[in-house]
Amino acid sequence: DTEVTQTPKHLVMGMTNKKSLKCEQHMGHRAMYWYKQKAKKPPELMFVYSYEKLSINESVPSRFSPECPNSSLLNLHLHALQPEDSALYLCASSQDSRFGYEQYFGPGTRLTVT
Amino acid sequence: QKEVEQDPGPLSVPEGAIVSLNCTYSNSAFQYFMWYRQYSRKGPELLMYTYSSGNKEDGRFTAQVDKSSKYISLFIRDSQPSDSATYLCAMIGSSNTGKLIFGQGTTLQVKP
């Protein structure tokens, strides 16, 4: 099973709201990733967690706050977002970051900021 | 200049055609080469990955890597309307931090 699940599927939030995106995998993977994808563009890496520790932060604004509570779960906390943050947010996982060539993506959360 | 170049298309072919999708790259440190398929409003799906140069086949899909030319290809035989999607190439170096470098993606339409 190579399934990564993400909730919610869709999210609409105002610029003053606080919300969280959730990602879960049960493949025993120890690396998890957050990507942002705008329409007709490739995914852009935001964060990498390796063994529950943040290993890469691609200079993402602090209004995005990742959290990895355990090896199966990855959250992305959102606060004071801007309309330009509207995008598809993708979670992925791999066996560990050395196996980044075999990343499995979830279906994404489509976020709209109003 | 982008590290990975991929023609965005769109590419339109009739059903049953052989499709050739390509990427070029500039960073000789790339060692792993991946192809993802992404349907509209879905997450990318890993089709296959190749290490270094050579060919890899999986059913109707064949991936080729030519490191001397810094050129990779994905061939789809007997294309089907269900193959209509965006195809993303991605690459990663041997100092593997998990950071994929993606091409822009090529939109493919297979017409019945």
Side-chain angles (χ1 to χ4, degrees):
Chain A
D1 184 12
T2 56
E3 189 178 26
V4 176
T5 59
Q6 291 187 243
T7 55
K9 290 183 180 178
H10 303 277
L11 179 63
V12 179
M13 60 185 290
M15 294 166 61
T16 58
N17 291 159
K18 287 185 181 180
K19 296 286 185 182
S20 297
L21 309 184
K22 296 186 185 301
C23 173
E24 189 167 7
Q25 56 85 16
H26 294 289
M27 295 177 277
H29 288 175
R30 302 310 298 271
M32 297 185 77
Y33 312 78
W34 279 117
Y35 289 84
K36 172 183 177 180
Q37 187 177 27
K38 303 282 272 186
K40 299 191 185 303
K41 297 290 186 183
E44 295 176 38
L45 183 66
M46 300 174 72
F47 303 104
V48 180
Y49 272 84
S50 180
Y51 291 85
E52 295 100 74
K53 288 184 167 45
L54 184 65
S55 60
I56 295 179
N57 177 340
E58 289 287 293
S59 302
V60 178
S62 60
R63 57 186 184 268
F64 295 91
S65 176
E67 178 196 21
C68 189
N70 61 54
S71 60
S72 300
L73 291 173
L74 187 65
N75 299 322
L76 187 62
H77 303 296
L78 313 173
H79 173 56
L81 294 193
Q82 304 297 309
E84 59 265 28
D85 296 322
S86 298
L88 181 68
Y89 287 84
L90 294 160
C91 174
S93 71
S94 66
Q95 187 173 338
D96 69 35
S97 60
R98 293 171 301 161
F99 296 85
Y101 53 83
E102 197 170 358
Q103 289 184 34
Y104 295 94
F105 284 80
T109 293
R110 188 159 298 279
L111 174 68
T112 302
V113 182
T114 60
Chain B
Q1 184 187 2
K2 294 177 183 172
E3 281 190 282
V4 180
E5 299 277 0
Q6 184 178 9
D7 186 340
L11 179 62
S12 183
V13 302
E15 183 176 354
I18 296 175
V19 176
S20 173
L21 303 166
N22 311 294
C23 291
T24 59
Y25 64 95
S26 57
N27 188 343
S28 57
F30 289 142
Q31 293 284 352
Y32 290 90
F33 305 89
M34 286 68 71
W35 286 97
Y36 283 87
R37 177 175 64 194
Q38 187 172 22
Y39 292 112
S40 181
R41 297 181 169 269
K42 302 290 186 184
E45 173 193 1
L46 179 63
L47 290 175
M48 58 174 62
Y49 67 86
T50 308
Y51 174 69
S52 194
S53 284
N55 294 0
K56 189 172 186 178
E57 188 174 319
D58 185 1
R60 295 184 296 111
F61 298 89
T62 299
Q64 285 186 353
V65 175
D66 182 349
K67 290 194 74 181
S68 62
S69 301
K70 295 190 177 67
Y71 188 88
I72 70 170
S73 300
L74 178 71
F75 297 96
I76 307 174
R77 289 184 299 280
D78 187 25
S79 56
Q80 302 294 310
S82 58
D83 295 327
S84 298
T86 296
Y87 290 79
L88 294 150
C89 66
M91 306 179 188
I92 202 166
S94 56
S95 57
N96 200 337
T97 60
K99 181 174 179 177
L100 298 179
I101 307 300
F102 283 96
Q104 286 295 106
T106 299
T107 299
L108 171 67
Q109 184 180 22
V110 181
K111 295 185 175 180

